[in-house]
Amino acid sequence: MSKMDKTLLENAKSIIKERLCKSGYSHNVRADIDIAALDLGNLLQRTVEFGESNSVLVVGAKGSGKSTLINRVLEDIHNDSKNAKNLLIVKLNGYLQTDDRIALAEITRQLKLENTIGDKVFGSFAETLAFLLEALRSGDMSKSQPIIIILEEFDLFAQHKNQTLLYNLFDIAQAGTTPLAVIGITCRLDVMELLEKRVKSRFSHRQIYICNPSTLENYVQQFTDVLLLDKAFGKTAKHKAFVKKWNSHVENLTKNSSVLEILHKQFNYCKEASPLHQILFLPVCSLSQEHQEITPADIAESSQLIFNDSKANILHGVSVLELCLIIAMSHLTNIYEGEPFNFQMVYNEFLKFSQKKSHILQNYTKPVVLKAFEHLIELELLKTKDHFMTHSGKLQKEYRPMILLVDHSQLREAVAKYPGCPTDVKQWAESSIV
Amino acid sequence: MSHDSSAIPARGKQIEQLISIFGDPVDVTMPALFVYGHSSCGKTIVLNHVLEKLKVPHVVVNCTECYTNSVLFSAILQGLSGDNDLGSWKCDNLNDLGRNLRKVYESQSWNETVYIVFDKAERLRDREVNLLPALINLQELTSLNFCVILVSELPWEKFYNGVGIRQPFIVFFPDYTKSELGEILCHCRPDGVDREFYQHYISIVLAVFSLACRDLRELKHLSELNFSTYCAPVKAGKFDEGDKHKLWKHVEPHLKEALQQLYLRKVSSEEWMKLHDITESGDATVLKPVKNSDTIELPFYSKFLLIAAYIASYNPASTDKRFFVKNAGRMKKTARSMKKDERKNSHLRGPHAFPLDRMMAIFYSIVDSRVPPTANIFSQISTLVTLHLLAKIGHEDEIDCPRYKCTVSLDFISAVAKTMNFDIVRYLFDFV
Ligand SMILES: Nc1ncnc2c1ncn2[C@@H]1O[C@H](COP(=O)(O)OP(=O)(O)O)[C@@H](O)[C@H]1O
Ligand SMILES: Nc1ncnc2c1ncn2[C@@H]1O[C@H](COP(=O)(O)OP(=O)(O)O)[C@@H](O)[C@H]1O
Ligand SMILES: [Mg+2]
Ligand SMILES: [Mg+2]
C-alpha cells in the first residue's frame, strides 16, 4: 500500500506512529530545547562560518531530548548556513565504535578518505588523525573544510584505552588550527569525572544540560502535542476537515479526568517521554475504520498493560507444587530472619505440610520436587547467595544456600490471584505454623 | 487485516495485538519489543505465525545457540540476506554489524520494517554490558526501519541494569489456564481420534500432571507418548470407549510412573515406549522396574570409606567419641542435652568438610576386619573423588592437609550400608 492510497485516518496514524517511535526527532519541541538549540546553534555556526574550533558536552537523562536537540540544530545549520555545503559531519556512537581503532576507521569512512589513506602506515593515532585532517584542506585555498564530530554515548568513549581518541580530538579543537567542533552527548551527569586529567584540560568545559519536563502541565502538553495534527497534514478541504475533527477529539481526550489522572500517575512515576509514548502506542495502533478515535478507555487499558506487575504475571503461571515451594521458602526466610536456606530445608518444610495437611500433594517424590525447585531458579525467583557462588560448584545442589526474591506481600497477592488455588495451600500461605 | 488464528487456540488476543503493533509494513514501528511469558506459552509459534502471515522481512536468532557475538551477528546477516556463504558476513563488532545491516537493507531495496527476533534473550545479559542497549537502539543507530524483538521467560526487570538502557515496548503472554491447556492438547490430538474420547484422556493427564507441571510442551509430549497405553484395552475389545472410569483406573498408575521416569528424563522417550510395549491382549501393562541408575558397584573397602566419609560429613566432630569409642557412656544422657536446633541439622544444612585423618579414624573403627596397606586405601579414596562421590575441598596448594566432603544422598548411603549389613542410621547424630 503506498502512502497515496491510504485513507486520511491511516495517514494520521502513520504520522503519529512515527512521532511515537522514532527517537531523536520531535516535530514540536519544548521551550527549553529551543533555548539550548539557539546556544548550540550559535556555537556551531562559528565553526561553520568562521572556522572557529570548539568542544561542548550535552548532558541529560535518557529520553530527555539530547538527540532531538542535535538533529534540530544540524537541520537548522543545513538550512540557514551559507557555508553548509562545505560542512562535514561525522557521527560516532559509543555503542558502535567500541574501541579507538574502529572509531578511527569509521571517521575515515565518513570523511570518504579510505582511498586517500590507502595502505599508508602511521606511527601513532595522532599522526593518522592529523593526516586525515590535512587531507581535507583543499589544495588551492589554505582554508580547510569545517568538521562537526558528534560523539553519542560519549561516556563509552571515555572507557577506551588511554582515551586516545578524546585526547586527540580535544587537542585539535583546543589548538584551533582546524575548524573542528566536537560535541559529546551523554546521560552521565558525572561525565567530567570520567575524563583523564590531560583530556579534561583540553576540553572547553562548555556544557549544556537538558532536563525532562518538570511540570505536569508541560507533560500533558507533550502528550497533546504528539497527537495534534498540523497544516502539514494536507491542504485540501477534506484534509482540513479531518484535522479539525481529529484535533478537537484530541483536545477532549486530554481534558478527560480519567486520562489526566493516568497522566498524573505516570508523571509522578517517571517524567521521560518514552513511557508516555508507550501508553499512546497501542491506542494509536488500533485505530481503524471501526474505531476512529482514541477513547479514554483505550488509554486506561493500555496504561494498565504498561503498569502491569511482571512478577505477579510470572507467579501466576507457576504450578501448585512450585507455589508451595515458594510458600515454604517464604516461611523459612521468615523463621531464620532472612538467612539463606537450601533445597533440603525447603523440601523438609514441604514434606511437613504435604504429609500433615495436604493429601493432593503427597505423591511427589524428591526428584520431582527438585525439578520444580530448579524451575524456580531458572525463573530467577530465587538466587544463590552471592558469596557462596565461588564454592557452589563444590556443593551439591540440594545444599546450595539460596535466597528468595519474592517478598511476603507479593506472595500473598499471588496466592490470592492464583487460579484454583487449593484451600489448604492458601491456609498454609497465611499461617506460619505447619 | 483478516487472519486465521484457529491454528493456535487461546492466543487470539496476542496474535491480534502483534498484528496491530506491526501495522502497515512501511510505517515506523517501535524500535524494540520485549515479549515475555512462561516457557511454552506460545511465544515462538505466535511470533513465527504473525511474521510469516504478514510476509515481512525477518530473521529469528537463538541467543543460546549463537554463543559469541560473531556467530550471532553472522546469523542475523545470513538470515536477512538469504546468503549462506559464511565468509561474506563475517563480523565481530557492532560497527560492522551496523554497516552490514545497511548493506543488506539497501541491496534488498526494502522500505518496510525489518524484524530481528532474539529468542532466549536473557543470554544476552551474559555478554558485554553494552550489547543489549545497543541492540535495543538499533533503529536509531542504523537510521533504518528495524524492529528488534527480544523473547524471554524472564520479565524485563531482570534485564534492566540501571544505566541508559531504554525500555522496549513490553508484550506479555499469559500462562494458559487449565481449560486452555485442555483445549490446545485436544486440538493437537492424533489424526482420526474422536475428540470426546481424547478429551477424557487429556483430563486424566492434566489431573495427574498439572499440579507439578503446567508446561504445555511437557504435557503434550507426555500425553502423546502414553496415549497408546490408554487406547490398548479399547483396541483389544476389553473396554468400550465409553468406559471412562475403567479407562481411568487403567491408565492412572501408568501416568504416575511416567511422572517419575519420563518427566524427570530418567529414561528417553524411545526407552519408555519399548518398556511399555503394548501387549496384543491389551492387558494393563506390567510395569517392569527400571534399573536404578543411582547405585553403582563399589569395592568392599571403598564402601566403608564412603560410609565413614558420610558420617564425618554429617556428624559434628565432637560426637565421634560417643559413637566410636567403646564404652563411652550411654546415649541417654546426651539425648536431651544435645537436642537439636533444626538450623544445625546437617541433613538440612548439607555436609561439612572434614580432614582426612578424622575420616580414617571413623573408617578404622567401623571396619572390623584387617585393613589392607594404606597405599591401597588412598588410591580408593582418589577413585571416590573421581567418581564424584567425595569432593576435595580447598585450594590445590593445601595438599598437605586435604579436606573432603561426602556428596552422596542419605538414600544412596543407606543402600550402600545395607549391602554391608551396617545400620548407618544408628551412627548419625541427626537421627539419634
Ligand atoms: N523537548 C521535547 N519535546 C518533545 N518531545 C521530546 C522532547 N525531547 C524528547 N522528546 C521525545 O522523546 C524521545 C526521545 O528523545 P531523544 O532525543 O531520543 O532523547 P535522548 O537522545 O536524550 O535519549 C523522542 O522520540 C522525542 O520525540
Ligand atoms: N496456543 C497453542 N496452540 C497450539 N500449539 C501450541 C500453542 N501454544 C504452544 N503450542 C505448542 O507448544 C510448544 C511450545 O510453544 P512455543 O511457541 O515454542 O512456546 P515458547 O516459545 O513460549 O516457549 C510448541 O510445540 C507449540 O507448537
Ligand atoms: Mg539519544
Ligand atoms: Mg520459544
Side-chain angles (χ1 to χ4, degrees):
Chain A
M1 195 168 12
S2 84
K3 295 239 172 186
M4 293 308 292
D5 308 330
K6 285 187 173 183
T7 63
L8 293 180
L9 181 68
E10 277 163 350
N11 265 335
K13 197 167 144 181
S14 300
I15 291 172
I16 296 169
K17 257 179 91 178
E18 177 157 351
R19 290 178 191 166
L20 294 176
C21 297
K22 201 163 175 184
S23 45
Y25 292 90
S26 173
H27 70 295
N28 203 343
V29 298
R30 293 188 315 266
D32 60 317
I33 300 263
D34 274 335
I35 295 168
L38 222 56
D39 258 11
L40 187 61
N42 281 334
L43 199 76
L44 296 184
Q45 281 292 6
R46 293 212 296 276
T47 302
V48 179
E49 297 295 333
F50 311 118
E52 280 182 24
S53 293
N54 231 316
S55 53
V56 60
L57 280 179
V58 177
V59 186
K62 69 180 148 80
S64 55
K66 304 179 295 296
S67 305
T68 308
L69 167 71
I70 302 292
N71 288 330
R72 156 150 307 213
V73 169
L74 291 181
E75 197 180 316
D76 288 349
I77 289 185
H78 213 78
N79 294 335
D80 306 341
S81 180
K82 291 186 282 297
N83 201 15
K85 57 181 184 307
N86 270 330
L87 172 64
L88 293 165
I89 296 174
V90 175
K91 286 189 179 178
L92 301 183
N93 191 306
Y95 285 140
L96 294 181
Q97 290 83 40
T98 42
D99 63 42
D100 284 344
R101 187 186 55 80
I102 298 174
L104 195 59
E106 188 57 36
I107 294 174
T108 313
R109 214 173 278 126
Q110 292 193 22
L111 292 175
K112 302 202 172 58
L113 290 173
E114 292 134 298
N115 294 333
T116 317
I117 211 164
D119 35 37
K120 289 190 183 62
V121 183
F122 296 95
S124 73
F125 193 91
E127 276 175 40
T128 320
L129 203 60
F131 175 84
L132 288 177
L133 297 174
E134 189 59 35
L136 295 172
R137 287 179 204 277
S138 22
D140 43 346
M141 288 185 284
S142 60
K143 200 162 169 263
S144 37
Q145 281 177 279
I147 308 175
I148 297 176
I149 296 190
I150 297 162
L151 303 159
E152 285 249 24
E153 316 298 338
F154 177 84
D155 47 297
L156 297 182
F157 288 99
Q159 289 172 11
H160 295 185
K161 191 160 173 269
N162 297 335
Q163 304 189 339
T164 310
L165 175 73
L166 296 185
Y167 172 78
N168 283 291
L169 289 181
F170 285 155
D171 192 48
I172 296 166
Q174 195 189 37
T177 47
T178 312
L180 171 72
V182 181
I183 311 176
I185 302 177
T186 178
C187 56
R188 293 276 299 261
L189 297 178
D190 61 346
V191 58
M192 291 311 289
E193 283 155 42
L194 306 176
L195 297 181
E196 285 174 16
K197 217 167 108 198
R198 59 183 194 132
V199 179
K200 209 189 279 184
S201 68
R202 282 166 175 76
F203 171 56
S204 73
H205 288 266
R206 213 184 302 269
Q207 296 190 40
I208 296 176
Y209 288 92
I210 308 284
C211 298
N212 279 311
S214 52
T215 66
L216 183 60
E217 287 72 37
N218 276 339
Y219 191 73
V220 175
Q221 190 59 47
Q222 203 163 324
F223 175 88
T224 322
D225 280 349
V226 89
L227 289 176
L228 286 178
L229 295 171
D230 52 26
K231 288 199 286 290
F233 185 67
K235 288 191 183 61
T236 70
K238 252 167 78 188
H239 282 96
K240 282 182 182 154
F242 181 87
V243 169
K244 196 164 168 226
K245 186 158 158 273
W246 175 265
N247 284 354
S248 87
H249 124 263
V250 171
E251 299 285 354
N252 284 336
L253 186 68
T254 48
K255 283 196 197 97
N256 181 287
S257 61
S258 72
V259 171
L260 285 174
E261 198 177 309
I262 291 167
L263 291 181
H264 196 160
K265 188 170 147 203
Q266 181 62 48
F267 175 75
N268 286 339
Y269 178 67
C270 168
K271 298 175 176 47
E272 288 168 31
S274 110
L276 185 68
H277 290 179
Q278 294 202 350
I279 289 181
L280 278 170
F281 183 60
L282 273 187
V284 170
C285 282
S286 51
L287 289 170
S288 68
Q289 286 312 314
E290 294 75 46
H291 187 79
Q292 300 201 6
E293 292 186 344
I294 300 171
T295 64
D298 292 341
I299 303 284
E301 192 187 328
S302 108
S303 84
Q304 208 187 353
L305 278 182
I306 289 185
F307 272 102
N308 209 325
D309 176 355
S310 55
K311 189 165 273 174
N313 282 339
I314 292 298
L315 286 171
H316 189 274
V318 301
S319 68
V320 172
L321 178 58
E322 285 156 0
L323 188 66
C324 285
L325 296 185
I326 297 175
I327 295 172
M329 291 186 253
S330 177
H331 286 331
L332 283 170
T333 308
N334 199 16
I335 297 168
Y336 295 150
E337 293 157 348
E339 291 256 317
F341 50 79
N342 62 35
F343 171 73
Q344 199 60 39
M345 298 170 175
V346 176
Y347 182 61
N348 195 44
E349 290 296 304
F350 171 73
L351 275 188
K352 282 194 245 164
F353 165 69
S354 64
Q355 284 166 358
K356 284 190 202 149
K357 293 283 171 58
S358 179
H359 301 291
I360 52 163
L361 285 163
Q362 271 176 18
N363 297 323
Y364 298 113
T365 56
K366 193 165 165 183
V368 173
V369 179
L370 183 58
K371 186 161 169 165
F373 187 78
E374 286 173 342
H375 185 222
L376 294 174
I377 296 176
E378 257 168 51
L379 291 172
E380 301 188 7
L381 292 172
L382 54 154
K383 66 165 189 190
T384 316
K385 189 119 198 320
D386 299 332
H387 63 272
F388 284 101
M389 285 297 259
T390 41
H391 317 289
S392 54
K394 288 256 167 72
L395 224 51
Q396 292 147 275
K397 51 191 172 188
E398 293 95 315
Y399 299 115
R400 226 165 270 171
M402 309 292 294
I403 39 184
L404 183 62
L405 301 177
V406 180
D407 67 33
H408 195 63
S409 64
Q410 288 169 326
L411 176 62
R412 280 176 80 145
E413 197 188 314
V415 170
K417 283 192 185 152
Y418 194 85
C421 184
T423 320
D424 38 18
V425 174
K426 266 189 192 159
Q427 284 167 352
W428 187 33
E430 288 302 320
S431 72
S432 52
I433 324 118
V434 179
Chain B
M1 200 163 308
S2 73
H3 63 273
D4 160 46
S5 58
S6 59
I8 310 175
R11 285 288 93 128
K13 199 162 169 230
Q14 282 66 37
I15 293 175
E16 209 172 284
Q17 191 181 32
L18 285 175
I19 288 180
S20 152
I21 288 174
F22 292 174
D24 188 343
V26 295
D27 281 354
V28 179
T29 192
M30 274 288 163
L33 301 182
F34 181 79
V35 175
Y36 80 107
H38 276 279
S39 155
S40 295
C41 67
K43 302 180 293 294
T44 303
I45 187 177
V46 165
L47 271 171
N48 286 342
H49 173 83
V50 173
L51 291 168
E52 296 291 339
K53 180 121 236 151
L54 298 178
K55 298 199 173 60
V56 288
H58 65 272
V59 59
V60 181
V61 290
N62 181 316
C63 301
T64 310
E65 288 163 15
C66 299
Y67 54 98
T68 66
N69 284 356
S70 76
V71 176
L72 182 71
F73 298 164
S74 357
I76 295 171
L77 293 166
Q78 279 173 29
L80 286 178
S81 63
D83 169 5
N84 287 328
D85 179 15
L86 268 167
S88 57
W89 297 118
K90 249 183 104 156
C91 78
D92 59 2
N93 64 65
L94 278 156
N95 198 43
D96 287 348
L97 176 70
R99 292 195 306 125
N100 283 320
L101 281 174
R102 172 168 292 281
K103 241 191 251 169
V104 177
Y105 200 94
E106 282 165 1
S107 73
Q108 306 269 359
S109 43
W110 280 322
N111 67 344
E112 63 258 60
T113 311
V114 175
Y115 296 86
I116 306 180
V117 182
F118 293 87
D119 206 349
K120 306 254 179 285
E122 61 275 2
R123 292 271 73 86
L124 293 175
R125 299 177 304 171
D126 313 336
R127 311 278 179 84
E128 317 79 290
V129 277
N130 289 323
L131 180 64
L132 192 62
L135 292 175
I136 287 174
N137 274 342
L138 202 62
Q139 194 183 86
E140 191 179 350
L141 290 175
T142 57
S143 317
L144 294 171
N145 195 356
F146 279 111
C147 173
V148 165
I149 304 181
L150 304 169
V151 182
S152 177
E153 284 161 35
L154 300 177
W156 171 249
E157 291 108 80
K158 300 282 183 190
F159 287 70
Y160 184 76
N161 63 3
V163 282
I165 186 163
R166 223 171 262 237
Q167 178 166 319
F169 189 81
I170 295 175
V171 178
F172 172 57
F173 275 48
D175 43 277
Y176 293 124
T177 64
K178 203 167 165 182
S179 73
E180 282 171 339
L181 284 175
E183 185 191 341
I184 299 167
L185 289 169
C186 275
H187 176 85
C188 306
R189 70 185 177 278
D191 288 336
V193 175
D194 175 56
R195 187 179 171 100
E196 202 190 330
F197 181 64
Y198 199 75
Q199 204 158 14
H200 185 249
Y201 167 63
I202 289 301
S203 65
I204 304 170
V205 170
L206 287 177
V208 173
F209 292 109
S210 75
L211 287 181
C213 166
R214 288 172 63 192
D215 187 306
L216 178 66
R217 205 177 275 122
E218 292 281 359
L219 292 169
K220 202 168 142 194
H221 182 64
L222 288 162
S223 53
E224 278 162 7
L225 282 184
N226 292 298
F227 185 55
S228 53
T229 307
Y230 182 74
C231 294
V234 175
K235 281 221 181 88
K238 277 182 68 186
F239 312 154
D240 207 41
E241 280 206 3
D243 288 339
K244 290 190 175 167
H245 191 69
K246 283 186 193 155
L247 282 168
W248 183 302
K249 281 273 162 288
H250 158 74
V251 81
E252 198 189 16
H254 189 83
L255 290 177
K256 283 189 172 152
E257 175 74 9
L259 182 66
Q260 298 308 324
Q261 302 288 337
L262 202 53
Y263 175 59
L264 295 173
R265 308 281 184 274
K266 284 200 173 162
V267 298
S268 71
S269 309
E270 290 77 40
E271 282 174 302
W272 175 259
M273 290 308 274
K274 231 180 272 162
L275 215 56
H276 300 268
D277 216 358
I278 312 305
T279 50
E280 278 302 307
S281 68
D283 281 331
T285 40
V286 188
L287 301 179
K288 295 170 205 123
V290 177
K291 183 179 175 299
N292 191 348
S293 55
D294 293 346
T295 56
I296 47 173
E297 280 308 317
L298 290 173
F300 181 83
Y301 288 109
S302 288
K303 288 186 181 177
F304 275 113
L305 283 169
L306 196 58
I307 292 170
Y310 190 87
I311 293 171
S313 269
Y314 285 89
N315 280 0
S318 58
T319 63
D320 286 356
K321 222 168 132 193
R322 184 160 69 94
F323 285 118
F324 301 110
V325 178
K326 306 254 160 24
N327 313 320
R330 293 266 152 70
M331 295 274 191
K332 70 171 195 306
K333 84 164 196 270
T334 47
R336 173 174 300 149
S337 63
M338 306 218 283
K339 173 60 198 149
K340 290 139 257 183
D341 176 357
E342 256 201 359
R343 291 160 76 166
K344 299 215 179 85
N345 184 325
S346 312
H347 281 86
L348 291 181
R349 277 279 162 202
H352 305 287
F354 54 82
L356 187 62
D357 48 1
R358 182 169 163 228
M359 169 177 135
M360 292 315 290
I362 298 176
F363 172 72
Y364 287 121
S365 82
I366 59 178
V367 178
D368 282 335
S369 56
R370 268 195 47 227
V371 176
T374 24
N376 192 338
I377 292 294
F378 284 134
S379 91
Q380 295 202 18
I381 292 175
S382 33
T383 308
L384 290 173
V385 173
T386 323
L387 291 171
H388 292 289
L389 301 172
L390 284 188
K392 205 167 179 175
I393 304 294
H395 295 292
E396 288 304 320
D397 48 354
E398 295 171 31
I399 30 172
D400 39 336
C401 56
R403 293 166 69 81
Y404 295 88
K405 234 178 216 190
C406 181
T407 61
V408 304
S409 68
L410 180 61
D411 289 344
F412 185 100
I413 203 69
S414 305
V416 170
K418 208 162 162 201
T419 65
M420 309 310 290
N421 286 322
F422 182 83
D423 187 4
I424 187 164
V425 175
R426 274 187 45 221
Y427 291 86
L428 289 174
F429 176 66
D430 285 339
F431 299 103
V432 295

